[in-house]
Amino acid sequence: MTSPERLPVVPPVAPTTPRLVTSTAAIVEVTDLGKSFGGLMALDGVSTSFGVARITAVVGPNAAGKSTLIKTILGLVRPDRGRIIVNGHVVTQDWDYRRGIGYMPQAGHFPENLTGREVLSMLKHLRGSSAELDEELLDAFALRPELGKQVRTLSGGTRQKLNAVIAFLFRPALLILDEPTAGLDPVASGIIKDKILRCRESGTSVVLTSHIMSEIEELADSVVFLLEGRIQFDGPRLELQRLTGHQSLERAIAALMQGGAS
Amino acid sequence: MKSTGKILRYQLRDVIRGRWILVYTLVFLLMTDVLFRFGGSGERVVLSLMNVVLLLVPLVSIIFGTMYLYHAREFIVLLLAQPVDRTSLFLGLYGGMAIPLAGSYAVGVGLPFLWHAGGGGGGGSALGVLLLTGVLLTCAFTALAFLVAVLFEDRAKGFGAAVLVWLLAAVVYDGVILIVVTSLWRYPLERPLLVLTMLNPIDLGRVFLLLQFDIAALMGYTGAVFSRFFGSAVGKGLALTVLVAWSVVPLLVGLRRFRMKDF
Amino acid sequence: MNRAVIWSVWLGLVTPFTGGTAQEIVVQKGTSVATLSAALRRAHPGDHIVVRPGIYYEPTIVIDVPVTIEGDSGAVFDGRDAEDVLLVTADSVTIRGLTIRHVATSYIDDRAAIKFQEVTGCVAEYNRIEDAFFGIYLAKSTDCIIRHNVAIGRKTTKTKSGNAIHLWNSRDVLVEDNTVSGHRDGIYFEFVTGAMVRRNVSTDNLRYGLHFMFSHQCEYWDNVFARNGSGVAVMYTKGVTMVGNRFEDNWGSAAFGLLLKEINDSRVEDNIFRSNSVAIHAEGSNRLTVKGNEFIANGWAVKIMANSIDNEFTRNRFVGNAFDVATNSRSSSSRFSENYWSAYRGYDLDRDGYGDVPFRPVRLFALLVEQYPPAIILMRSAFVDMIDLAERVMPILTPETLVDEHPLMEWPQ
C-alpha cells in the first residue's frame, strides 16, 4: 500500500508562474470524494481544489481514477461519499451548474446522420444561451466548409476538431479537457494549446488530463497526481519537479510512480 | 423535461436519415404490396401480415433499440455534460427511436392499403387494429430495448439479453402456455389463459388481432370466451391498458436506472 | 345417373294417364266455384282443376280425389284461416303453380303449405311458398315428385320455424330444382329410402341446409348448400351418394360443411367445399369413399375422429385450409392417397406427377387442439409453427399411418 506520508501532499499555494497574479480562489472544490465500482476503489478519499484561472493537469497511470474524478465533477458519475462544489454550486441532483462547464471528451462521437452544423445547433439549443459564441477554433481549424457534411463522412481528426470547438463554444468558466490533443495533427495540437493558454489569460479555469508530459509541462500550472484512487501529489508543477529533484516532469512523475508503487 | 423536445428533434432527424429505417419501411411496403398483388382482399392481407408483424416488429424494435443506445453512448456522455437533466435526455432518446420505428412501420403497411384502395370490405377496421397493435408493440419493445441497454454495460451481453427477451415473448412464452394447457386441461382454463395472454404483449396482440377475423369462429368455446371478453368495453380498455403498460413500465424502470447510472 | 333415368321413364307413364279423361273445373272468385274446396266437391278422379288469380282464404283444403290442381299466375292461397293449407290424402294428385302463404307456427302439429299424407304418385311442382311453418310435407308417401318449387321461410328462430321440404317415412321420391331458404332445415328426411335429390339450392336456413337420419340408399347430386346456420348434417344412414354438390360459407363455431355421423358405406365425390369452418366432420362413419372433392379455404378441411374407420380419401384437392386434416388420436385407419395439397413442399424428381416425399396432412397443432381444445388460443403463434415444422421433419406424435404416400404435384384441370 501507498503511504501518504512518503511524499507530502501539498495544498494549493500561491501562483508559481509570474504571469498569474490572480487569487487563490477555487472553481472546483472536492472534499473526501470516494467511489468504488463493484468493490474496486476508483476514488478513495480524494480532496483537492482547482484554482480559478489556472490550468490543472490530472495525471496518473491507467485506472488511477483520473476519469472518475473528472466524471464526478461533470455529474456523470455519482460519488459514494464526499462533496463537490463547482463555482459555488454543490453538485447533487442539480444539473444547471453544467452551464458553466465546457467538456471535451477523449473522442468525438456524434449522431452519424447529422451535419456538423446540426450538431452545433443542437448543443446551442440545449444550452439555450444567447451569449456570443466563441467560434475562434472553427476558423482556426478551417472547419466551416466541413460543417455541411454528415458526421459519418468526416475523418476522425475532423470529428476531434469539432469536439474541441464544442468545448470552447460557450465561453465556459471551467474547461474540462480529456486528452485534448489525442488524435490531432501537430498543427491542430498547437492551435488548441494556444487556445487553452489564451483562455487562461482571460480568466478561464482549465482541468485537463494528458499522457503527454511535455504537453503538461507546456500548459499546466498545477498537477494532481492520482494513484490507485488516492492523491499522491497536489501542487504547483514546479514544486513537483523541485521535490523529486528532477528537471523534467516526465522523470518527476516516474519517480513519483516508483515511490508509490514500492 | 424541458429539453426532451429539443433532443427529440435532432435524434429524429438522425434516425430518419439512417439507411436501416428506410430498409425497414421498404420491407413492409414490399411485403404488403406483394400480398395485395397476389390477390388478397384487404382482410386477407391483414391476416397474412399479422404473423410477420408479430415477429418482426418486436425483434427489430428491441435489436435496433439496444444497438442505438449503445451506439449513442459517447454522445450521451457529451450531452449529459451539458446543462440537461437525465429524464429529458432519456425520454428524448426514446422518442427519437420509437417514433421513427412506429412511423416507418405504419407507412410501410398503410401506404399499400391506400393505393390498393383499401382492398375492399372489412379491411378497414382490421387494418386499424393491425396498425395500432404494431405501433404499441414497437413502443413496448423499444422501451424494453432501452431497459436492457441501461441494465447491461457490456454490449455483447446486452445484445444477447435483447434477443432473449424477444425469444421469451415471441416463442418460449407460448410453449409455457401449451404446457399449462396440456397438463391442466381437466380444469376450466379460459380465465387463467386470458390472464396469461394479457401478460405477454405479443400474445395479447395476436389474440386481439385474431378476434377481428372470421377465423375466430374456429376457436371454439375458448375463442368464444376470449371474444366476449375482448368484445366488451372493459376488455378492450384492459387490453389497451396492458399494451400501453408494456411501454410505460419498462421505460420508467429504465429511466430510474438511467438516472442513477454512472457513465 | 341410373336413378334419374328411371324417374324420367316413370314420368312418361304417369302423365298421359292423368291427362286422359280430364274434365276441367275452373275456380274463380265471384263464380259458382269460388273456392278450391267447392271445386273438389264436384271433382272426379283424373279431373283438372284450374285456379284463376285471386287470394283465397279457405279452411284446410282436403284433396281426397286424384286430380291435378293448377294455378294461374296470381292464384294465392292464404293460410290465415287454415291449419295445413292443402292436405292431400288421395293418390296421384298433382299440385302445380300455386302460391301458398302464411302458414302459422304450431307447437302441436306440423302445419304445412302442402301436406301429402299416406299417398303414392304425388307431384308438387312450380309452386311458390312464402312464410310457411312447413313447406312441402310428405308422410308415409311413395313415388312422388317435388320439383321447381320455391319456399321462402320467415327466418325467425329455430323453434318457431319448420322445414321447407320435409319427408318422413317415405320412399322413392324425386326432389329436384327446388329453391329453399329461411326455414329451420332446407331439406329434411327421416326414414326415407331411395330418394333422388338433385339441383336444389338450399341456403340461409336457420339450422341445416340438408338434414337426414335413417334414410338409406338416397342420392344427392349437384345441390348447393350455402350459408346455413349449421351447414349440412346427416346421420345414422348407409349407402348415401353425394356427388357434385357445393357446400359453401357455412361459417360459425358450430357450422359444418358436411357433418357425417354414423354414415357408412357411402360415397362423397366431386363436391366443392369452400369457406366452411369444418368442411367434413366424420364421426363413427366407416367405409366412406371421399374422392375428387375440392376443399378450399376452410378452417378444417377434414376432421376425422378415431372412431371412423376404413375411409378412403383419394384425389381430393386441399387448398388454403387452416387445417387440412385433424384427428383426435395417433392411430387412424383412414387412408389418404394421390391427393393434391397446397401445403405440400415436396418435389418430384422422377417426373411421374407424384411428390417423392410423403405428405403428412395432420399438423401437430391440429392434434393438440383436438385433445386439448383451449390450446386453440395459440393459433398462429410462432411457437406453434415451429413445433409443427419440427413434427413434420421428425414425426413422433402425429398419426404415423395418416400419410399421403403419393401426393399429387399438380391438380389436373
Side-chain angles (χ1 to χ4, degrees):
Chain A
M1 270 308 290
T2 333
S3 51
E5 289 80 20
R6 283 195 59 168
L7 280 166
V9 174
V10 184
V13 287
T16 47
T17 328
R19 278 176 294 175
L20 257 184
V21 281
T22 41
S23 69
T24 58
I27 185 137
V28 178
E29 264 184 77
V30 172
T31 317
D32 190 30
L33 206 57
K35 177 72 185 177
S36 67
F37 292 111
L40 210 78
M41 284 301 244
L43 294 176
D44 188 5
V46 169
S47 297
T48 183
S49 60
F50 302 137
V52 169
R54 289 174 63 98
I55 298 173
T56 309
V58 179
V59 295
N62 290 334
K66 291 174 297 185
S67 304
T68 310
L69 179 59
I70 284 178
K71 284 179 170 179
T72 49
I73 294 169
L74 283 164
L76 294 173
V77 169
R78 269 150 212 282
D80 299 334
R81 61 188 162 92
R83 195 174 66 153
I84 302 166
I85 298 173
V86 176
N87 227 353
H89 297 275
V90 178
V91 175
T92 49
Q93 296 282 63
D94 180 30
W95 45 266
D96 209 50
Y97 75 97
R98 293 198 288 255
R99 204 168 285 285
I101 301 179
Y103 173 51
M104 178 176 176
Q106 228 176 81
H109 289 276
F110 309 102
E112 301 264 287
N113 305 307
L114 295 184
T115 63
R117 188 169 292 113
E118 283 170 327
V119 171
L120 292 181
S121 75
M122 177 181 188
L123 289 159
K124 283 179 210 164
H125 260 101
L126 282 176
R127 292 263 184 173
S129 71
S130 50
E132 206 200 323
L133 300 172
D134 180 355
E135 296 187 337
E136 190 191 333
L137 280 182
L138 220 47
D139 297 310
F141 288 142
L143 214 54
R144 287 191 195 273
E146 309 283 324
L147 286 183
K149 296 179 186 164
Q150 292 195 356
V151 169
R152 66 185 148 84
T153 64
L154 300 179
S155 71
T158 311
R159 289 182 205 197
Q160 192 61 356
K161 287 173 188 165
L162 190 61
N163 197 16
V165 168
I166 290 167
F168 290 91
L169 194 62
F170 302 97
R171 303 182 185 279
L174 172 64
L175 275 168
I176 297 180
L177 312 172
D178 200 352
E179 304 275 354
T181 60
L184 290 179
D185 58 77
V187 179
S189 289
I191 291 172
I192 206 167
K193 281 188 275 194
D194 289 345
K195 179 69 182 166
I196 292 169
L197 289 170
R198 267 204 308 286
C199 279
R200 182 186 58 184
E201 296 305 324
S202 55
T204 307
S205 317
V206 181
V207 176
L208 60 83
T209 69
S210 180
H211 278 99
I212 307 160
M213 291 306 140
S214 62
E215 193 171 293
I216 293 173
E217 245 176 320
E218 207 177 324
L219 293 173
D221 304 314
S222 304
V223 171
V224 171
F225 180 79
L226 279 170
L227 189 65
E228 292 175 354
R230 290 164 189 256
I231 291 183
Q232 299 298 324
F233 175 86
D234 183 356
R237 172 172 56 80
L238 296 173
E239 179 72 10
L240 174 63
Q241 277 156 286
R242 191 182 59 75
L243 267 175
T244 51
H246 288 286
Q247 273 306 304
S248 85
L249 183 64
E250 187 138 28
R251 285 187 181 280
I253 298 278
L256 217 52
M257 280 172 73
Q258 278 161 2
S262 63
Chain B
M1 295 204 288
K2 20 180 211 182
S3 310
T4 304
K6 297 173 188 170
I7 291 163
L8 184 61
R9 219 174 100 189
Y10 290 94
Q11 292 298 305
L12 275 181
R13 233 185 268 182
D14 179 40
V15 171
I16 287 168
R17 282 183 203 159
R19 213 161 294 153
W20 57 263
I21 198 92
L22 187 71
V23 172
Y24 187 57
T25 316
L26 283 179
V27 164
F28 278 117
L29 210 64
L30 279 176
M31 202 158 51
T32 312
D33 189 63
V34 164
L35 283 172
F36 265 115
R37 283 176 203 284
F38 274 78
S41 68
E43 192 158 325
R44 285 206 152 274
V45 171
V46 172
L47 200 57
S48 311
L49 276 174
M50 175 182 148
N51 287 39
V52 188
V53 168
L54 289 173
L55 282 184
L56 200 62
V57 164
L59 181 65
V60 169
S61 299
I62 202 165
I63 296 285
F64 278 135
T66 10
M67 292 206 318
Y68 170 76
L69 214 57
Y70 283 131
H71 195 70
R73 197 190 149 93
E74 282 88 357
F75 189 61
I76 289 170
V77 168
L78 180 66
L79 289 178
L80 281 177
Q82 312 301 318
V84 174
D85 65 297
R86 292 192 173 189
T87 307
S88 297
L89 179 58
F90 192 71
L91 294 182
L93 291 170
Y94 174 73
M97 188 67 200
I99 292 172
L101 273 176
S104 144
Y105 158 76
V107 167
V109 170
L111 274 188
F113 272 86
L114 279 185
W115 71 58
H116 290 281
S125 76
L127 173 67
V129 175
L130 183 75
L131 287 178
L132 182 70
T133 309
V135 166
L136 288 176
L137 283 177
T138 305
C139 295
F141 280 85
T142 310
L144 285 166
F146 273 46
L147 177 60
V148 164
V150 169
L151 286 179
F152 294 92
E153 199 64 18
D154 185 77
R155 285 174 194 222
K157 272 188 200 159
F159 191 77
V163 174
L164 193 67
V165 167
W166 173 79
L167 213 59
L168 282 174
V171 182
V172 178
Y173 194 87
D174 287 348
V176 174
I177 288 188
L178 187 60
I179 290 168
V180 168
V181 169
T182 52
S183 49
L184 301 176
W185 61 276
R186 283 170 210 278
Y187 305 95
L189 277 174
E190 280 69 27
R191 278 171 177 280
L193 279 181
L194 202 55
V195 174
L196 278 178
T197 306
M198 293 282 266
L199 292 179
N200 178 348
I202 297 184
D203 270 349
L204 184 54
R206 180 174 57 79
V207 172
F208 199 72
L209 269 168
L210 272 182
L211 293 177
Q212 308 302 313
F213 301 104
D214 289 347
I215 212 165
L218 304 182
M219 297 174 70
Y221 176 68
T222 313
V225 170
F226 274 66
S227 209
R228 201 177 54 204
F229 177 76
F230 286 115
S232 71
V234 176
K236 281 196 183 95
L238 209 58
L240 206 63
T241 310
V242 170
L243 269 179
V244 171
W246 269 103
S247 306
V248 173
V249 174
L251 196 63
L252 287 182
V253 176
L255 176 61
R256 235 178 98 87
R257 289 295 299 237
F258 187 78
R259 284 163 58 98
M260 295 306 188
K261 198 173 150 68
D262 294 323
F263 282 89
Chain C
M1 283 294 177
N2 292 347
R3 198 167 290 268
V5 174
I6 294 167
W7 280 113
S8 311
V9 173
W10 184 83
L11 278 173
L13 293 173
V14 169
T15 314
F17 164 72
T18 49
T21 55
Q23 171 206 351
E24 188 171 281
I25 305 171
V26 175
V27 179
Q28 186 160 19
K29 295 234 161 184
T31 66
S32 59
V33 187
T35 64
L36 179 54
S37 307
L40 285 163
R41 277 195 293 274
R42 54 179 75 180
H44 299 95
D47 282 356
H48 196 96
I49 301 175
V50 178
V51 183
R52 294 290 180 228
I55 301 174
Y56 299 86
Y57 300 95
E58 297 182 40
T60 300
I61 301 161
V62 179
I63 302 160
D64 48 8
V65 279
V67 290
T68 295
I69 300 168
E70 187 161 359
D72 286 351
S73 167
V76 177
F77 287 86
D78 192 305
R80 190 183 66 184
D81 303 325
E83 293 181 349
D84 294 316
V85 178
L86 300 178
L87 175 59
V88 181
T89 57
D91 293 343
S92 307
V93 170
T94 295
I95 297 172
R96 180 184 304 132
L98 299 180
T99 297
I100 303 169
R101 65 191 187 199
H102 302 150
V103 180
T105 298
S106 162
Y107 298 106
I108 300 156
D109 49 14
D110 296 342
R111 296 179 181 176
I114 304 171
K115 184 180 281 178
F116 295 99
Q117 188 87 47
E118 293 189 57
V119 299
T120 64
C122 58
V123 177
E125 60 187 13
Y126 300 100
N127 299 292
R128 182 177 177 85
I129 298 164
E130 295 168 0
D131 188 31
F133 183 40
F134 280 81
I136 299 170
Y137 193 110
L138 271 73
K140 296 190 178 176
S141 299
T142 56
D143 295 323
C144 289
I145 298 172
I146 300 167
R147 68 180 168 207
H148 287 291
N149 300 287
V150 174
I152 299 165
R154 50 178 168 265
K155 256 204 144 164
T156 50
T157 60
K158 285 180 213 172
T159 47
K160 279 187 186 162
S161 47
N163 306 319
I165 296 173
H166 181 105
L167 272 67
W168 177 72
N169 213 342
S170 300
R171 59 188 164 77
D172 299 331
V173 179
L174 171 66
V175 178
E176 67 178 13
D177 298 309
N178 300 286
T179 302
V180 295
S181 67
H183 288 79
R184 182 176 60 197
D185 292 343
I187 299 171
Y188 177 97
F189 286 5
E190 195 176 348
F191 302 109
V192 174
T193 48
M196 161 60 89
V197 177
R198 66 186 180 199
R199 298 191 303 266
N200 299 284
V201 177
S202 176
T203 60
D204 303 290
N205 294 290
L206 298 165
R207 195 174 64 178
Y208 298 120
L210 166 69
H211 185 39
F212 64 73
M213 292 172 286
F214 312 108
S215 296
H216 309 303
Q217 314 302 336
C218 294
E219 303 200 4
Y220 305 83
W221 293 71
D222 306 318
N223 301 284
V224 174
F225 303 106
R227 299 183 304 278
N228 295 296
S230 305
V232 169
V234 301
M235 303 165 178
Y236 317 114
T237 296
K238 58 180 194 282
V240 181
T241 302
M242 290 187 149
V243 180
N245 303 286
R246 303 176 74 96
F247 300 84
E248 292 178 329
D249 301 311
N250 298 293
W251 196 265
S253 52
F256 301 93
L258 175 59
L259 171 72
L260 302 164
K261 188 176 167 67
E262 298 190 30
I263 298 290
N264 296 321
D265 305 295
S266 297
R267 291 161 55 205
V268 178
E269 293 178 6
D270 300 324
N271 302 285
I272 293 175
F273 297 85
R274 190 191 295 273
S275 301
N276 305 285
S277 350
V278 182
I280 292 185
H281 177 107
E283 62 182 80
S285 297
N286 312 313
R287 300 173 301 281
L288 303 177
T289 305
V290 181
K291 190 176 167 188
N293 301 284
E294 296 195 47
F295 298 90
I296 301 163
N298 301 285
W300 280 268
V302 175
K303 252 192 190 182
I304 185 153
M305 299 299 110
N307 57 8
S308 299
I309 56 172
D310 284 338
N311 298 300
E312 199 88 46
F313 292 80
T314 46
R315 298 195 87 84
N316 299 288
R317 179 177 183 230
F318 294 85
V319 175
N321 305 294
F323 301 97
D324 283 330
V325 178
T327 181
N328 58 349
S329 160
R330 279 213 68 193
S331 61
S332 168
S333 60
S334 293
R335 285 175 303 279
F336 284 79
S337 64
E338 301 184 10
N339 297 285
Y340 173 83
W341 311 89
S342 66
Y344 182 58
R345 293 285 170 269
Y347 45 82
D348 178 20
L349 287 183
D350 54 12
R351 299 258 163 226
D352 63 352
Y354 298 104
D356 301 346
V357 187
F359 180 69
R360 298 174 174 277
V362 181
R363 286 172 62 186
L364 175 58
F365 184 51
L367 192 70
L368 286 171
V369 167
E370 257 349 285
Q371 284 177 359
Y372 315 103
I376 191 75
I377 207 63
L378 295 174
M379 185 148 77
R380 286 180 160 257
S381 149
F383 175 76
V384 162
D385 292 343
M386 279 167 58
I387 60 169
D388 273 349
L389 184 69
E391 176 70 18
R392 210 156 260 182
V393 176
M394 282 193 64
I396 45 170
L397 293 171
T398 47
E400 301 161 89
T401 49
L402 224 164
V403 175
D404 191 334
E405 295 285 352
H406 300 286
L408 275 181
M409 291 306 289
E410 269 171 55
W411 180 250
Q413 290 303 319

